[in-house]
């Protein structure tokens, strides 16, 4: 059965005090309750009460996904304003202290904190998750295996978390380093079959490591309840147009890899330790760094690799009707990532992190 390559996009936003520019809990307002009335299941709380998550409907193509995610951002910005808050799309807050943040009063979040302790409380990060509809579970595992190689390239494009606890971390995507404190994160190993993956999950459940497969927080996974491959590796981008471009790239990568799979071919698999070397480079340097081309056994500038990557997937983009969205990748390469632009404001304002937050708030609403 040929996959639908449908799309679902989830974004996690910061709720900000407009005066202090610090994170502020939305739980003391009616923001979430009103949001649920307007948007139903498309909006929900997250573990920390200064995080709010939205998710699109199942979208048939990238045009529908753009309409939905733009609509969600518009409505959430309006909703935040009505409750005297600002909405910001950034994968870390420039100076907020996780120790002052409340945990949302939900038994499942309190269970996570009970189990993971300080690692859970410190996990004050904001991501972008992209689901691609691949209904055949065996095909999904094979596509996941091959797509692991491309995750660092995608992560470098999405970097939007250079600051943590008021410090310039030196990383473009520090969110990934924070999340490493959780178990079952990072780029997974390859699996020979879906049954091998199921055996792994069932073993963890039997031995009380997890209660269900949603607690496998890898950078990419077959979703346990939807017939999708879910890419969870990315920082939330500043602009909605960047989210759309990255989602289109992920969808086109899945379609290209399925084309290989359908022809009894495969993209070469590399060992997880090698892929993790590229992941480190991606989150440390973003677009300005070099990744390892394992075939050539040489370092190659990330921008050169992205041009090769775009040429690789080019044969599938017209069928997906996503060429216009993929062009957004080149715009990110020209303007820099969210992290690059945050750092530019930081330098221009001589280290004013409140000015960085103001810039992030403007960018969150840009183009809507």
């Amino acid at each position: 059965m040929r996959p639908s390559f449908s799309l679902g996009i989830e974004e996690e936003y910061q709720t900000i005090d407009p005066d202090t520019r610090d994170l502020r809990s939305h739980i003391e307002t009616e923001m979430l309750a009103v949001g649920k009335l307007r948007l139903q299941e498309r909006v929900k709380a997250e573990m920390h009460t200064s995080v709010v998550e939205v998710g699109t409907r199942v979208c048939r193509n990238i045009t529908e996904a753009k309409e939905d995610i733009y609509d969600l951002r518009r409505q959430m910005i309006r909703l935040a304003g009505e409750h005297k808050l600002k909405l910001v799309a950034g994968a870390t807050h420039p100076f907020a202290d996780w120790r002052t943040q409340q945990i949302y009063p939900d038994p499942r979040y309190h269970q996570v904190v009970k189990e993971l302790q300080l690692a859970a409380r410190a996990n004050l990060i904001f991501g972008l998750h992209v689901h691609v509809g691949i209904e055949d579970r065996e095909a999904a595992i094979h596509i996941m295996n091959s797509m692991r190689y491309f995750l660092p390239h995608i992560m470098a494009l999405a970097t939007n978390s250079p600051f943590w606890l008021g410090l310039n971390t030196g990383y473009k995507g520090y969110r990934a380093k924070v999340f490493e404190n959780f178990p079952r994160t990072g780029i997974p190993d390859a699996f020979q079959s879906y049954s091998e993956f199921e055996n792994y999950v069932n073993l963890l459940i039997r031995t009380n490591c997890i209660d269900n497969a949603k607690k496998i927080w890898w950078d990419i996974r077959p979703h346990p309840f939807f017939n999708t491959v879910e890419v969870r590796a990315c920082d939330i981008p500043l602009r909605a147009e960047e989210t759309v471009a990255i989602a289109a790239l992920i969808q086109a990568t899945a379609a290209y890899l399925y084309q290989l799979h359908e022809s009894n071919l495969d993209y070469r698999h590399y060992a997880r330790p090698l892929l993790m070397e590229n992941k480190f480079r991606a989150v440390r340097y973003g677009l300005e760094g070099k990744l390892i081309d394992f075939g050539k056994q040489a370092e190659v500038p990330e921008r050169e690799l992205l041009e090769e990557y775009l040429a690789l997937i080019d044969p599938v983009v017209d069928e997906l009707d996503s060429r216009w969205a993929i062009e957004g990748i080149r715009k990110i390469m020209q303007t820099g990532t969210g992290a690059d632009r945050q750092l530019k404001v930081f330098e221009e304002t001589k280290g004013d992190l409140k000015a960085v937050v103001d810039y992030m708030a403007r960018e969150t609403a840009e183009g809507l």
Side-chain angles (χ1 to χ4, degrees):
M1 179 173 62
R2 183 172 174 77
S4 65
F5 301 118
S6 61
L7 282 164
I9 300 174
E10 298 166 354
E11 289 191 320
E12 296 167 341
Y13 304 125
Q14 306 177 18
T15 53
I16 300 287
D17 185 299
D19 297 322
T20 67
R21 278 73 149 205
D22 202 348
L23 289 174
R24 195 171 96 199
S25 170
H26 58 74
I27 201 170
E28 294 152 7
T29 74
E30 294 295 313
M31 180 178 171
L32 199 64
V34 175
K36 284 186 177 295
L37 283 174
R38 293 181 189 173
L39 301 168
Q40 286 81 48
E41 295 307 309
R42 293 197 294 158
V43 60
K44 64 179 185 178
E46 264 295 336
M47 186 166 67
H48 292 90
T49 60
S50 51
V51 187
V52 62
E53 180 181 307
V54 299
T56 65
R57 303 176 182 92
V58 177
C59 301
R60 291 173 296 176
N61 51 50
I62 194 64
T63 300
E64 283 188 9
K66 176 187 174 181
E67 289 170 358
D68 215 354
I69 202 68
Y70 272 50
D71 178 56
L72 284 167
R73 275 211 191 195
R74 280 189 209 103
Q75 297 215 43
M76 294 306 294
I77 289 168
R78 187 178 305 126
L79 192 62
E82 289 170 7
H83 293 88
K84 298 182 172 52
L85 296 166
K86 281 190 173 183
L87 200 77
V88 163
T92 56
H93 185 278
F95 59 84
D97 188 337
W98 57 264
R99 290 170 295 187
T100 66
Q101 301 298 312
Q102 296 171 263
I103 302 298
Y104 191 78
D106 183 294
R108 66 194 174 110
Y109 295 136
H110 286 289
Q111 182 58 37
V112 171
V113 172
K114 182 180 177 182
E115 182 182 354
L116 301 182
Q117 294 291 306
L118 206 64
R121 291 189 176 277
N123 196 54
L124 189 61
I125 55 175
F126 307 78
L128 165 69
H129 301 165
V130 178
H131 294 256
V132 181
I134 301 168
E135 288 73 15
D136 181 281
R137 299 276 76 189
E138 288 298 333
I141 280 291
H142 287 290
I143 288 168
M144 182 191 86
N145 288 341
S146 298
M147 199 184 289
R148 297 175 314 133
Y149 174 79
F150 297 96
L151 293 178
H153 305 68
I154 297 166
M155 292 176 81
L157 276 165
T159 49
N160 192 28
S161 50
F163 301 108
W164 182 250
L165 297 176
L167 300 171
N168 179 355
T169 64
Y171 284 76
K172 297 294 181 71
Y174 194 68
R175 167 185 167 272
K177 304 309 291 180
V178 177
F179 199 39
E180 282 177 6
N181 291 320
F182 267 41
R184 301 175 295 279
T185 57
I187 298 174
D189 286 323
F191 288 86
Q192 294 302 309
S193 65
Y194 189 70
S195 63
E196 185 183 4
F197 171 73
E198 279 189 310
N199 289 339
Y200 164 78
V201 171
N202 290 336
L203 174 62
L204 294 192
I205 292 172
R206 272 199 314 275
T207 55
N208 295 315
C209 299
I210 59 176
D211 51 8
N212 67 67
K214 284 198 79 173
K215 288 185 177 173
I216 294 169
W217 294 297
W218 295 331
D219 291 336
I220 186 170
R221 68 181 183 185
H223 194 276
F225 306 130
F226 309 137
N227 289 327
T228 65
V229 168
E230 181 188 12
V231 175
R232 305 167 46 81
C234 296
D235 285 3
I236 181 175
L238 279 177
R239 295 188 177 192
E241 66 184 39
E242 295 170 318
T243 287
V244 171
I246 289 163
L249 180 62
I250 290 168
Q251 181 197 40
T253 307
Y256 164 73
L257 294 172
Y258 180 77
Q259 215 174 59
L260 293 181
H261 175 68
E262 196 177 32
S263 303
N264 291 319
L265 299 171
D266 206 352
Y267 204 81
R268 185 173 174 184
H269 294 175
Y270 293 97
R272 182 179 183 275
L274 291 177
L275 300 178
M276 291 299 289
E277 290 295 331
N278 267 352
K279 177 178 174 176
F280 166 75
R281 289 166 177 246
V283 300
R284 170 67 176 86
Y285 301 107
L287 290 178
E288 307 311 314
K290 297 178 180 179
L291 299 188
I292 304 164
D293 183 319
F294 299 119
K296 296 175 183 174
Q297 298 191 9
E299 296 176 289
V300 179
E302 165 70 0
R303 294 172 186 275
E304 285 183 30
L305 287 172
L306 283 171
E307 289 294 347
E308 291 178 16
Y309 186 179
L310 292 174
L312 191 71
I313 60 163
D314 191 73
V316 303
V317 297
D318 288 328
E319 183 183 346
L320 296 168
D321 196 20
S322 63
R323 186 170 295 280
W324 62 270
I326 294 289
E327 281 304 309
I329 298 298
R330 288 201 168 87
K331 185 174 179 182
I332 296 171
M333 291 165 67
Q334 290 164 4
T335 62
T337 68
D340 295 325
R341 292 170 356 241
Q342 283 189 55
L343 288 164
K344 185 179 179 185
V345 173
F346 181 70
E347 290 164 11
E348 289 173 348
T349 60
K350 296 181 170 54
D352 186 345
L353 289 173
K354 289 184 178 180
V356 174
V357 175
D358 289 339
Y359 171 76
M360 293 167 74
R362 292 193 300 272
E363 285 287 278
T364 300
E366 180 65 34
L368 300 181

